[in-house]
């Protein structure tokens, strides 16, 4: 499978715990994006990387959220001190270059109890 | 303030007929528009896109029309098939923010046999 890969696909955690999601983009895709989707809403942009550089962050990305792409390949999204409002699907996407079509992974579901 | 609006939460169509999904936007800086299809518990799948320099783009059963003066686009699916049943998201981006796709809330399409 050469699509965008995300894991874990599902995560249930207790409030206050930290969670980390991993994304492997399509090979040779320079751009990598993180989005969040809650029920009844469309995906909302969180942040994106051009290779290893994080170029834009949404105001939705509070200081409890941190994303990295250390070698310009895979990326991690960490949420510290999770809150119930963090429950959502976290979507990773990638594109080859700016302006190219953005392809999404299958998402990682987070439930904070 | 929603910049991309899909005012119909749901649409039901008979198999073989045309499905028309609508999308309105408010930001005149948007110059690239996309449609994604999403099944439950999966990430969005890219369907078709259109640049603001065009007014129509066609790919098989899918055609997207763009009316810039009305800030309106639509997705036509002809003929509709039961496998098309999914949530369809309209998304837009502006040239200076190629990483930031703004999504509508989606329209749930049901194609009945």
């Amino acid at each position: 499978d050469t699509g965008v890969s995300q894991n874990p696909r599902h995560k249930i955690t207790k409030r206050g715990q930290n969670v980390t999601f991993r994304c492997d983009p399509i090979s040779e895709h320079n751009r990598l994006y993180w989005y969040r989707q809650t029920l009844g809403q469309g995906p909302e942009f969180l942040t994106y990387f051009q290779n290893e550089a994080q170029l834009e962050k949404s105001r939705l990305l509070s200081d409890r959220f941190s994303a990295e792409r250390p070698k310009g390949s895979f990326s991690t999204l960490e949420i510290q001190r999770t809150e119930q409002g963090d429950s959502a699907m976290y979507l990773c996407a990638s594109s080859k270059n700016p302006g190219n079509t953005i392809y999404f992974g299958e998402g990682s579901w987070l439930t904070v109890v | 303030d929603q910049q991309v609006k899909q005012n119909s939460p749901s649409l039901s169509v008979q198999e073989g007929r045309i499905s028309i999904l609508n999308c309105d936007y408010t930001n005149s800086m948007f110059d690239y528009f996309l449609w994604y299809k999403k099944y439950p518990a999966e990430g969005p799948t890219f369907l078709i896109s259109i640049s603001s320099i065009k007014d129509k783009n066609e790919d098989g059963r899918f055609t997207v029309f763009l009316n810039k003066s009305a800030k309106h686009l639509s997705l036509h699916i002809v003929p509709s098939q039961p496998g098309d049943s999914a949530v369809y998201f309209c998304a837009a981006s502006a040239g200076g923010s190629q990483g930031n796709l703004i999504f509508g809330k989606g329209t749930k399409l049901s194609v009945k046999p």
Side-chain angles (χ1 to χ4, degrees):
Chain A
D1 182 49
T2 57
V4 178
S5 175
Q6 293 187 244
N7 68 80
R9 292 292 315 281
H10 302 273
K11 179 74 176 178
I12 300 174
T13 191
K14 290 185 179 178
R15 189 174 52 186
Q17 298 293 305
N18 299 344
V19 296
T20 299
F21 298 110
R22 175 179 169 127
C23 171
D24 289 271
I26 295 171
S27 179
E28 298 182 351
H29 276 199
N30 298 317
R31 285 213 165 182
L32 185 148
Y33 313 82
W34 286 100
Y35 285 78
R36 180 176 71 183
Q37 185 176 17
T38 53
L39 284 175
Q41 301 294 319
E44 296 172 296
F45 171 77
L46 292 178
T47 187
Y48 83 91
F49 294 83
Q50 175 73 28
N51 299 313
E52 67 275 9
Q54 189 173 16
L55 296 186
E56 188 174 344
K57 291 196 289 187
S58 162
R59 57 181 171 77
L60 294 176
L61 211 66
S62 77
D63 55 8
R64 296 185 297 106
F65 288 69
S66 63
E68 293 182 345
R69 194 183 183 197
K71 297 181 180 178
S73 55
F74 74 91
S75 175
T76 57
L77 176 68
E78 181 183 18
I79 309 173
Q80 296 182 326
R81 305 181 303 280
T82 53
E83 302 173 355
Q84 286 188 321
D86 297 332
S87 296
M89 175 184 264
Y90 290 85
L91 291 160
C92 178
S94 69
S95 67
K96 192 164 188 179
N97 285 306
N100 291 133
T101 300
I102 296 173
Y103 295 93
F104 283 84
E106 295 192 330
S108 293
W109 276 106
L110 173 65
T111 302
V112 182
V113 297
Chain B
D1 179 32
Q2 251 193 306
Q3 298 185 66
V4 178
K5 299 178 184 179
Q6 294 178 257
N7 292 319
S8 298
S10 63
L11 175 68
S12 183
V13 171
Q14 205 68 30
E15 180 179 7
R17 306 295 289 267
I18 184 172
S19 296
I20 300 176
L21 298 107
N22 294 303
C23 178
D24 297 292
Y25 61 96
T26 58
N27 189 340
S28 57
M29 297 301 291
F30 287 150
D31 58 4
Y32 191 58
F33 305 89
L34 308 91
W35 285 94
Y36 285 84
K37 171 181 176 180
K38 188 178 183 300
Y39 294 115
E42 294 185 7
T45 302
F46 170 73
L47 272 178
I48 192 168
S49 62
I50 187 167
S51 164
S52 60
I53 61 173
K54 294 185 175 181
D55 55 18
K56 176 182 174 181
N57 189 25
E58 191 172 355
D59 183 2
R61 296 186 298 114
F62 302 91
T63 303
V64 56
F65 296 92
L66 175 63
N67 182 335
K68 284 182 292 184
S69 61
K71 293 192 177 66
H72 177 84
L73 64 155
S74 61
L75 175 68
H76 293 210
I77 306 174
V78 183
S80 301
Q81 300 173 354
D84 296 329
S85 298
V87 178
Y88 288 78
F89 289 98
C90 170
S93 72
S97 301
Q98 289 163 338
N100 190 356
L101 283 180
I102 308 296
F103 283 82
K105 291 188 176 183
T107 297
K108 184 176 181 179
L109 174 65
S110 299
V111 180
K112 302 190 175 181

